[in-house]
Amino acid sequence: MSDTEHSESGSRPSNFIRNIIDEDIRNNKNGGRVVTRFPPEPNGYLHIGHAKSILLNFGLAEDYNGHCNLRFDDTNPHKENIEFVEAIKKDVAWLGCDWGDRLFFSSDYFDALYEFAMQLIKKKKAYVCDLSAEAMREYRGTLTEAGKDSPFRNRTVEENLDLFARMKAGEFEDGTKVLRAKIDMASPNINLRDPTIYRIRRGVIHHQTGAEWCLYPMYDFTHCLSDALEGITHSICTLEFEDHRPLYDWFLDTLETSCHPQQIEFSRLNLEHTVTSKRKLTELIESGHVAGWDDPRMPTIAGLRRRGYTPAALREFCRRIGVTKSDNVIEMGVLEGCIRDDLNKHSPRRMAVLNPLKVVITNFPEDDEVFEAANHPQDETFGVRKIPFSRELYIDRADFEEVPPKKYKRLIPGGEVRLRNAYVIRCDEVVKDSDGNVVELHCSYDADTRGKKPEGRKVKGVIHWVSARHAIEAEVRLYDRLFNHPTPDNSKDGLSYLDHLNPGSLRTLTRCYLEPSLGDASPGDQFQFEREGYFSLDSSCQPDHQTGERARSKSIFNRTVTLRDTWAKIEKKR
RNA sequence: UGGGAAAUCGUCCAACGGUAGGACUACGGACUCUGACUCCGUCAAUCCAGGUUCGAAUCCUGGUUUCCCAGCCA
């Protein structure tokens, strides 16, 4: 396979991190090894921004014949729980990343970290501080003014050791004491103004260590040391940690560790019309704006999966957006393009009528007919399926216009249209109710147009349909962007991101008609509903335990993405 | 106003002192039993001002704009 031509799996565009690693390998730094890690905090589900990081870290490990560790950064038991741990593992694996036996927790290192902390105390580089949180904030100074030393800064090593041991023993209440690194209260980098490295949290049950600890290390202290303990070579994180790097390096330079990983920062993903912040995603759920972490409108991996996105599409997406240090906002069209490309190639075609309008073929006999239709127009390996045709059909309301706009090529009074995979029909009569609404169409078919072009005229339009008597009734959920504003959490209009919520982000259609073959679908199965888009059977549609069959009334299809629609574009411009 | 970063087509990413290139989008066309797919074509950018150089997106100087940082969160 000549790979560089293939956009999907082949070409690996270089990026600045790969350049750094290439350089490191040339210099035989780390003995040429590459070990990365993905360090999620289990305080929520993973979102598409994490996918960028996961694919970067695991991709690097794969390409450079190294390793990537999955390490849960679980130092804050207040916010974390085991449900999130399991959800994260599921999502990482679903993306196709394999951590093998390299599953770790920062909490695995709590003992070692405690030893490191004592080492720091003994080197006079850490002290127990009794300042309250508010007092500490005052002592910290501001962005433009230096802070001042804590009155507890010069406690003796012995006193600090004793106090720290008693903190561990649970003698002190939450908030009364912390352990701080002793660096420089006048540093222009606020992170270096004697940062807290241990705080007391009594009585919380940690999902990994239970009640063993009542003091927990902070991120800055934990992360660099965990990296070192695992022999990480390249510790890749997002830009907001850039000015934590001096701290990262300070701990590793001050303490005796067997290696000193290099922290490299890249810019996080921003996607138009959504938010990617765990705090905000949590808020969306708790306030009931969405149904949960896996709501198909959520930018979470679980939401995207339920929506019908594939790992391949997300991988391609991350390949297309690249990795740099510059701030970026990716258009939703990029993500949609990726899933369309994947599903176009890999999903079988079906017909489904979302907004039904009844059509009676007046000159068609009472007996049914059965057609065979290709499951994929460009790929014969998808095979064929049978589709019943009968006297009464449904077509989509949008495929009929009494007063057609210019260039409209679907059904109009007196006009002809091709029924996909079937006959050409002519609309002879429009039946309306007393309010003037179109309720039914009476049409006639040309028996000589099955599998061939009609004689002496050309029919441009092709529309989809289902046989009324054979159709499966289903619910179809149409999703749209969750937010109307492209950057809802940074809209510069004084409004909150919640103010930009799109009230039409979910439209539920309850009386849709599907061709019968769709009755066999399983949750997660994906189809192209021709001329409509890509749809996936919702995960809630589990088969009945008794019969093993899914009740037909229970079909719920999620629209993953629409087809590209140049006609809609023309109409919009009108 | 302290510190740390970033600025290249509408968007994202390349170009590593030597022809500013690709992808997405947009626009135009071909094809079509999906207004899809595919194919062909077009438009479109180096933040600004100086300097170095035969030659600057790239190096230097000075500006401008944007982002991040004052958790006992990560």
Side-chain angles (χ1 to χ4, degrees):
Chain A
M1 186 181 291
S2 72
D3 25 285
T4 45
E5 300 285 315
H6 292 243
S7 63
E8 267 189 34
S9 56
S11 63
R12 298 213 175 269
S14 73
N15 60 50
F16 79 102
I17 295 179
R18 284 171 183 272
N19 293 345
I20 290 171
I21 293 176
D22 289 339
E23 181 70 14
D24 289 345
I25 288 173
R26 257 194 301 281
N27 298 331
N28 199 35
K29 188 177 170 185
N30 309 308
R33 286 178 316 122
V34 174
V35 184
T36 59
R37 99 271 91 112
F38 173 63
E41 184 190 10
N43 66 343
Y45 278 52
L46 263 20
H47 55 66
I48 189 159
H50 293 111
K52 177 179 180 181
S53 176
I54 292 165
L55 265 11
L56 207 213
N57 279 293
F58 278 91
L60 252 17
E62 194 180 325
D63 294 346
Y64 287 92
N65 260 309
H67 299 286
C68 181
N69 298 353
L70 174 59
R71 180 173 75 230
F72 287 93
D73 210 346
D74 56 347
T75 57
N76 187 358
H78 270 316
K79 293 186 176 175
E80 300 155 6
N81 67 51
I82 197 72
E83 179 207 339
F84 294 140
V85 171
E86 294 309 319
I88 289 167
K89 282 157 73 173
K90 178 178 177 182
D91 289 346
V92 173
W94 180 76
L95 278 174
C97 297
D98 180 12
W99 57 84
D101 59 355
R102 306 177 75 90
L103 172 65
F104 304 110
F105 292 83
S106 296
S107 54
D108 295 342
Y109 314 128
F110 279 176
D111 285 318
L113 259 11
Y114 186 80
E115 294 295 323
F116 277 125
M118 290 201 293
Q119 205 184 120
L120 228 37
I121 292 172
K122 288 173 189 162
K123 286 174 183 284
K124 297 191 161 77
K125 295 293 188 185
Y127 61 96
V128 173
C129 182
D130 298 2
L131 250 26
S132 67
E134 308 83 84
M136 210 185 285
R137 196 178 311 128
E138 282 164 28
Y139 273 78
R140 188 153 36 227
T142 68
L143 292 177
T144 52
E145 298 163 287
K148 50 186 187 195
D149 288 0
S150 161
F152 306 99
R153 201 170 198 257
N154 292 315
R155 294 218 250 225
T156 63
V157 170
E158 292 67 33
E159 190 182 0
N160 281 318
L161 249 17
D162 173 62
L163 255 14
F164 190 48
R166 289 165 62 193
M167 282 167 68
K168 186 190 181 201
E171 284 189 31
F172 307 113
E173 284 182 31
D174 288 16
T176 56
K177 282 181 170 50
V178 294
L179 184 71
R180 293 225 256 169
K182 190 173 180 177
I183 307 179
D184 178 8
M185 287 307 291
S187 172
N189 181 344
I190 288 198
N191 297 118
L192 263 23
R193 319 242 261 232
D194 290 10
T196 299
I197 57 181
Y198 267 95
R199 76 286 216 191
I200 300 170
R201 291 282 179 269
R202 296 200 305 190
V204 287
I205 301 300
H206 187 286
H207 52 96
Q208 301 298 316
T209 60
E212 190 184 344
W213 292 86
C214 64
L215 79 177
Y216 289 90
M218 299 282 290
Y219 165 84
D220 286 304
F221 181 69
T222 307
H223 202 86
C224 55
L225 292 168
S226 302
D227 281 348
L229 256 9
E230 291 178 11
I232 300 299
T233 56
H234 303 269
S235 180
I236 299 165
C237 61
T238 42
L239 247 31
E240 66 270 25
F241 292 101
E242 212 151 16
D243 42 13
H244 289 240
R245 184 163 12 105
L247 226 200
Y248 184 102
D249 290 330
W250 185 89
F251 284 122
L252 294 180
D253 289 339
T254 307
L255 263 0
E256 284 144 33
T257 57
S258 54
C259 64
H260 188 140
Q262 177 184 8
Q263 177 177 307
I264 304 171
E265 310 85 10
F266 70 99
S267 53
R268 63 187 319 144
L269 164 70
N270 297 290
L271 231 203
E272 279 191 350
H273 302 293
T274 190
V275 294
T276 43
S277 128
K278 271 195 232 171
R279 201 210 94 220
K280 287 175 184 134
L281 295 177
T282 304
E283 201 169 24
L284 285 172
I285 294 165
E286 287 175 352
S287 57
H289 292 297
V290 298
W293 287 101
D294 70 341
D295 186 300
R297 292 166 292 179
M298 290 282 269
T300 50
I301 311 273
L304 290 164
R305 175 170 57 233
R306 187 167 173 193
R307 173 85 167 251
Y309 273 80
T310 59
L314 295 184
R315 285 171 167 271
E316 173 61 12
F317 173 71
C318 291
R319 195 193 65 77
R320 286 186 192 179
I321 61 176
V323 178
T324 65
K325 286 180 77 102
S326 45
D327 292 330
N328 59 82
V329 186
I330 309 293
E331 292 173 344
M332 196 53 98
V334 180
L335 218 211
E336 293 177 344
C338 293
I339 189 61
R340 284 194 186 110
D341 285 354
D342 188 34
L343 261 17
N344 174 48
K345 267 186 215 143
H346 301 121
S347 62
R349 283 15 38 147
R350 292 292 185 269
M351 293 200 285
V353 173
L354 271 27
N355 300 293
L357 172 61
K358 180 165 272 184
V359 168
V360 179
I361 313 291
T362 52
N363 60 342
F364 196 79
E366 288 299 330
D367 296 338
D368 302 342
E369 205 170 322
V370 176
F371 299 150
E372 268 195 352
N375 288 330
H376 195 295
Q378 279 91 32
D379 190 343
E380 284 185 9
T381 65
F382 278 78
V384 296
R385 68 190 187 283
K386 291 187 169 12
I387 307 176
F389 185 90
S390 64
R391 201 165 180 274
E392 295 196 352
L393 314 171
Y394 290 111
I395 66 168
D396 198 280
R397 298 200 88 91
D399 288 335
F400 172 78
E401 285 291 350
E402 257 194 304
V403 201
K406 268 198 168 52
K407 290 195 177 175
Y408 187 81
K409 56 183 199 189
R410 282 112 93 153
L411 197 57
I412 60 174
E416 279 188 310
V417 76
R418 156 80 62 185
L419 292 177
R420 176 82 166 144
N421 298 311
Y423 300 104
V424 169
I425 59 168
R426 173 188 307 280
C427 176
D428 304 317
E429 192 188 343
V430 180
V431 182
K432 297 182 182 177
D433 64 13
S434 51
D435 295 329
N437 300 311
V438 178
V439 292
E440 193 172 299
L441 263 25
H442 288 178
C443 300
S444 49
Y445 84 115
D446 180 343
D448 196 30
T449 53
R450 187 179 157 187
K452 60 161 97 158
K453 293 194 191 317
E455 297 279 330
R457 60 204 197 274
K458 59 181 177 203
V459 174
K460 266 210 148 179
V462 181
I463 65 173
H464 59 282
W465 53 275
V466 295
S467 165
R469 192 148 46 80
H470 304 88
I472 296 172
E473 195 174 320
E475 175 177 323
V476 172
R477 297 175 182 171
L478 305 180
Y479 301 101
D480 197 357
R481 50 183 60 149
L482 229 199
F483 296 93
N484 286 319
H485 196 284
T487 54
D489 47 0
N490 190 23
S491 55
K492 314 250 166 162
D493 52 13
L495 297 175
S496 137
Y497 72 103
L498 291 173
D499 298 322
H500 295 290
L501 239 9
N502 173 12
S505 61
L506 167 60
R507 252 178 72 215
T508 303
L509 270 24
T510 49
R511 283 186 56 244
C512 304
Y513 292 110
L514 316 179
E515 65 165 85
S517 67
L518 253 2
D520 301 328
S522 303
D525 282 358
Q526 292 166 299
F527 303 93
Q528 183 194 103
F529 290 177
E530 286 191 298
R531 305 207 313 124
E532 292 287 356
Y534 297 96
F535 294 78
S536 172
L537 187 65
D538 190 70
S539 54
S540 66
C541 300
Q542 299 297 335
D544 189 291
H545 286 301
Q546 314 264 287
T547 64
E549 281 180 12
R550 183 161 46 76
R552 290 193 157 190
S553 60
K554 275 199 194 155
S555 283
I556 299 171
F557 277 90
N558 295 313
R559 183 174 70 193
T560 309
V561 67
T562 62
L563 253 29
R564 274 188 66 212
D565 190 348
T566 47
W567 174 245
K569 224 182 299 180
I570 292 166
E571 291 238 282
K572 206 174 163 187
K573 269 192 254 175
R574 204 183 288 280

